[in-house]
Amino acid sequence: HTSVLAILLTVCGIVSGTVSLKGHLKPLGSHTPGKGVTVIGKFSSPHVFYNEFVGQLQPIWMRNALKTINHPGVTNWTDAYLREIYGLVPVNVEISKKENRKKRSTSLTLEQFLATYKKDDLYVVHSLRNNIEELVLVPPSLACGGFQKVIQDAVLWMGSGKTQSVLHFDSLDNLLCLFDGQKDLVLIDPKYKEAVEAAGFVQEGSYSLVDVEKVDMEKFPRFSEIKWKSVRMKAGDCIYIPKGWYHQITSSTKRHMAVNLWFSHLYWFNSTDCDTITNKGSRSQKMQPISDFGFASSNEVLRSKLLDKLHDKGIMIKYNFISSLDSSTEERREKFFHAVDKYADSALSWSELYNFDIDKAVLYFPDIFDLPRGSNSLPDDLVLYDPISHPFGAGDDMDKEVEDDGDDDDDEDDSDDEDGGKDEGMTFKDSLKLQTYKDPESTIMQTDAESEQSDMEDTSKETVKGVSSTLNIVRNDKEIKDNS
């Protein structure tokens, strides 16, 4: 009888026009409770950060991570400090605390901004690349493995009072660190793409026109299908937002300051340069200035887009490479392949794909990257590497690497022919085992459970209350308490 009554009441409500849609004209996410994300109480080690999160495109909240390493941004970057050191530096300032991408930004000196931002409708969104770079400190999670080679930019976000972004996604990976204030995040998995973009979505800019303060569920009915994740960041926290994840950020009603690092998505974790940085090593939980690495060429984004098309296409022999691309002509794709094939063996390893000169490649092969073809003539036998005298480098080193792989029998003759030992069921990552013998710079990613477990932080799980959800906590028992 109860169910029948509910149906009758609903029908009557529809007829009279009084039924309200759940979450209608309320803040984004009000239609259903948010879920939690994985949390740890420190910076994730580069290996774990890649294998468990970046490689899986899953967010991770590193709570209190900045405080555990005494980051100066949490303790020293006061208004007085910024005014004294950087007061005369011009910064980009948005003239609305609620993001409106149709409004133009302006330029003020940091001193001018600091003098009025607590009462005026101003918000700093300023690239630190080539400008106040000393504020850019690279977290331990990005210190090796290839991350340090693909950092594209760092942006300072600073304001006072409530600020709100639009709901949007980015094509780069994002590590956001908060030094002061509070930020509430709505995170939406890309699997809800159809629902998010069904109405009012601006493709050129990758953002939704939905009013995040008052969601009109009549104009955006499919938002009712979306499950979302909730995070409330506080000073000292960092969060990884994977590329492609929709997100919306609302900052607190007091001073708030953050810096985020944009980096191109990695499809291969090169552990050789992490050998000196272990989970418990002296360097593992220290910040390093960006000057230690430098910002990557903007063309690294194009390398990442190229690998978007290749990473899941199996062993990268010439045929697979040429057939996996849809840009330019087959002849041009073949020429590009040979220019990248450092060891001239008709098969490409991750090392070759990540170490060719991307700027030179874009100069001579812009069409491969879906760019207009210029007038640069292609040199005969162009190679996008420095010349090498021997395809295996030092023989002793090569023998050692094959021996260290622990799979000598499998490595011996796997790629003698042009097929490179093609296995239809094998992925691009698996193909590294078949190619290790010929590339001294390649490193095999460990995939067995024991190897992966040995690299994980000492973690356990507990349940705590989050913003409006239950969070899955992955923590080191000695380092994190329940701070909810």
Side-chain angles (χ1 to χ4, degrees):
H1 297 293
T2 302
S3 60
V4 173
L5 179 61
I7 293 172
L8 289 174
L9 289 173
T10 300
V11 171
C12 291
I14 292 173
V15 172
S16 63
T18 60
V19 172
S20 61
L21 299 170
K22 196 168 185 180
H24 183 54
L25 300 182
K26 293 181 180 180
L28 181 66
S30 298
H31 65 286
T32 187
K35 302 297 182 181
V37 301
T38 302
V39 182
I40 61 173
K42 61 177 181 177
F43 280 110
S44 176
S45 70
H47 297 80
V48 175
F49 184 54
Y50 178 79
N51 289 331
E52 298 298 318
F53 302 101
V54 176
Q56 306 299 321
L57 290 174
Q58 291 297 312
I60 176 174
W61 178 11
M62 291 172 263
R63 196 165 61 179
N64 292 321
L66 296 173
K67 293 181 179 180
T68 63
I69 59 173
N70 299 314
H71 192 291
V74 178
T75 55
N76 299 343
W77 293 356
T78 62
D79 285 3
Y81 172 84
L82 296 174
R83 184 181 296 109
E84 178 183 355
I85 306 299
Y86 306 107
L88 299 180
V89 175
V91 293
N92 187 72
V93 179
E94 294 188 355
I95 55 176
S96 175
K97 292 182 179 180
K98 184 174 183 179
E99 184 179 9
N100 183 339
R101 298 199 174 186
K102 294 182 180 179
K103 283 189 177 182
R104 293 185 178 181
S105 59
T106 188
S107 180
L108 298 174
T109 65
L110 191 53
E111 185 175 39
Q112 289 173 324
F113 169 79
L114 292 173
T116 63
Y117 82 104
K118 290 186 178 179
K119 59 181 180 180
D120 292 341
D121 201 16
L122 301 175
Y123 189 44
V124 163
V125 182
H126 179 72
S127 171
L128 299 174
R129 181 169 180 154
N130 302 319
N131 194 346
I132 329 183
E133 280 192 7
E134 53 267 36
L135 291 184
V136 184
L137 299 177
V138 179
S141 302
L142 300 180
C144 66
F147 288 122
Q148 79 281 16
K149 296 180 180 180
V150 295
I151 299 173
Q152 295 292 324
D153 200 359
V155 177
L156 172 66
W157 308 79
M158 186 176 181
S160 177
K162 186 177 181 179
T163 61
Q164 292 180 306
S165 77
V166 295
L167 177 64
H168 65 287
F169 74 85
D170 300 300
S171 58
L172 295 173
D173 284 325
N174 180 3
L175 185 62
L176 173 66
C177 292
L178 183 63
F179 304 114
D180 195 11
Q182 178 178 293
K183 289 183 181 290
D184 290 313
L185 283 71
V186 171
L187 301 173
I188 300 174
D189 194 301
K191 67 184 181 182
Y192 294 106
K193 175 182 175 68
E194 288 189 9
V196 173
E197 300 185 14
F201 196 83
V202 181
Q203 295 297 335
E204 185 177 352
S206 307
Y207 67 97
S208 174
L209 295 175
V210 67
D211 185 340
V212 297
E213 283 189 294
K214 296 180 179 180
V215 177
D216 189 331
M217 298 300 282
E218 293 179 351
K219 291 183 178 179
F220 298 89
R222 295 200 61 184
F223 271 48
S224 62
E225 305 170 19
I226 298 171
K227 306 296 183 183
W228 61 286
K229 295 182 182 294
S230 169
V231 172
R232 171 164 287 175
M233 294 180 69
K234 296 183 178 180
D237 294 357
C238 293
I239 187 169
Y240 164 60
I241 304 174
K243 72 162 190 165
W245 274 68
Y246 304 94
H247 55 284
Q248 188 275 322
I249 302 177
T250 300
S251 297
S252 65
T253 55
K254 66 172 186 176
R255 179 185 189 265
H256 41 85
M257 180 173 63
V259 169
N260 84 294
L261 294 177
W262 297 111
F263 57 101
S264 298
H265 188 70
L266 275 186
Y267 287 103
W268 174 53
F269 184 82
N270 180 9
S271 63
T272 56
D273 60 1
C274 289
D275 291 342
T276 58
I277 305 178
T278 62
N279 284 346
K280 299 181 180 179
S282 60
R283 294 176 57 197
S284 64
Q285 290 293 307
K286 289 185 178 180
M287 306 289 282
Q288 293 177 256
I290 189 64
S291 57
D292 284 2
F293 310 115
F295 285 107
S297 164
S298 58
N299 286 327
E300 280 297 334
V301 175
L302 298 176
R303 188 198 304 268
S304 184
K305 289 181 178 179
L306 178 70
L307 294 177
D308 283 344
K309 303 176 182 179
L310 300 175
H311 73 278
D312 59 352
K313 296 299 190 293
I315 300 171
M316 202 44 57
I317 58 173
K318 184 167 66 174
Y319 172 80
N320 282 357
F321 181 90
I322 293 173
S323 61
S324 296
L325 299 182
D326 55 7
S327 55
S328 192
T329 65
E330 183 173 333
E331 180 184 5
R332 290 278 293 172
R333 295 198 293 267
E334 183 173 2
K335 287 184 177 180
F336 179 69
F337 177 91
H338 288 299
V340 174
D341 187 10
K342 181 176 182 179
Y343 298 102
D345 59 0
S346 295
L348 300 180
S349 68
W350 280 114
S351 176
E352 286 170 304
L353 286 166
Y354 266 111
N355 288 307
F356 69 81
D357 187 330
I358 185 62
D359 294 322
K360 197 174 179 181
V362 172
L363 177 65
Y364 289 108
F365 293 98
D367 46 320
I368 296 296
F369 301 93
D370 293 314
L371 298 174
R373 186 169 175 180
S375 58
N376 297 304
S377 59
L378 186 64
D380 293 336
D381 301 322
L382 174 67
V383 176
L384 299 176
Y385 291 94
D386 293 332
I388 55 175
S389 58
H390 191 282
F392 298 112
D396 292 342
D397 291 340
M398 192 62 252
D399 291 339
K400 182 178 185 300
E401 179 170 309
V402 174
E403 181 180 348
D404 287 346
D405 176 41
D407 197 9
D408 303 73
D409 292 336
D410 291 341
D411 287 336
E412 187 173 351
D413 293 309
D414 279 337
S415 299
D416 285 347
D417 57 23
E418 185 170 341
D419 283 346
K422 180 179 178 182
D423 182 342
E424 294 294 340
M426 188 170 289
T427 66
F428 195 0
K429 290 181 181 179
D430 296 330
S431 74
L432 289 176
K433 280 186 175 289
L434 300 181
Q435 297 171 45
T436 299
Y437 80 94
K438 59 93 175 180
D439 187 346
E441 297 178 8
S442 289
T443 301
I444 299 172
M445 291 181 60
Q446 296 182 351
T447 56
D448 64 87
E450 290 186 7
S451 297
E452 183 65 25
Q453 186 64 33
S454 68
D455 192 44
M456 288 286 289
E457 288 98 333
D458 179 20
T459 61
S460 61
K461 294 186 177 181
E462 65 176 18
T463 301
V464 300
K465 293 181 180 179
V467 183
S468 58
S469 60
T470 298
L471 302 176
N472 291 324
I473 299 293
V474 180
R475 64 177 178 88
N476 187 314
D477 287 324
K478 296 180 180 179
E479 295 187 26
I480 187 168
K481 301 294 183 181
D482 180 2
N483 294 322
S484 298

